[in-house]
């Protein structure tokens, strides 16, 4: 299967995240889960994928920072809250 340029960039970003996450305990499962969730985004939603790619690049830089000890997350509030 041939991958588009954007798909190749996302896969490379994933590999970089896994490599950086190995240095910090507990990060790899979280990284895998985050990518797994976002893998459900339709391939035709290019704008959203590009946005997440750019956000991922910024998060990767933060992860590579020696002072980073944990990952934060943002979630949408539920309607019942």
């Amino acid at each position: 299967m041939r991958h588009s340029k954007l798909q190749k960039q996302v896969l490379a970003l994933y590999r970089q995240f896994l490599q950086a996450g190995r240095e910090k305990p507990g990060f790899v499962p979280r990284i895998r889960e985050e990518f797994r969730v976002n893998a459900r985004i339709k391939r035709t939603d290019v704008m959203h994928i590009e946005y997440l790619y750019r956000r991922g690049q910024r998060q990767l830089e933060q992860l590579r920072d020696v002072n980073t000890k944990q990952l934060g997350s943002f979630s949408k509030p539920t309607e019942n809250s």
Side-chain angles (χ1 to χ4, degrees), residues 3-56:
H3 295 292
S4 70
K5 181 180 177 184
L6 184 57
Q7 286 173 318
K8 288 178 184 177
Q9 290 173 323
V10 171
L11 290 171
L13 183 67
Y14 179 63
R15 285 190 295 273
Q16 291 171 355
F17 260 104
L18 290 177
Q19 192 173 33
R22 281 191 209 114
E23 304 295 321
K24 303 185 186 221
F27 278 54
V28 172
R30 174 72 189 282
I31 291 165
R32 286 188 174 137
E33 177 61 25
E34 189 74 23
F35 273 84
R36 202 169 282 128
V37 167
N38 289 323
R40 297 183 190 125
I41 297 170
K42 293 181 182 178
R43 292 181 184 185
T44 56
D45 195 357
V46 177
M47 294 295 285
H48 190 198
I49 295 168
E50 287 178 345
Y51 164 76
L52 290 172
Y53 176 73
R54 288 189 304 274
R55 190 179 90 181

Side-chain angles (χ1 to χ4, degrees), residues 54-65:
R54 288 189 304 274
R55 190 179 90 181
Q57 287 178 311
R58 289 190 301 272
Q59 289 175 331
L60 179 60
E61 290 305 314
Q62 291 176 343
L63 179 61
R64 287 178 172 162
D65 185 348

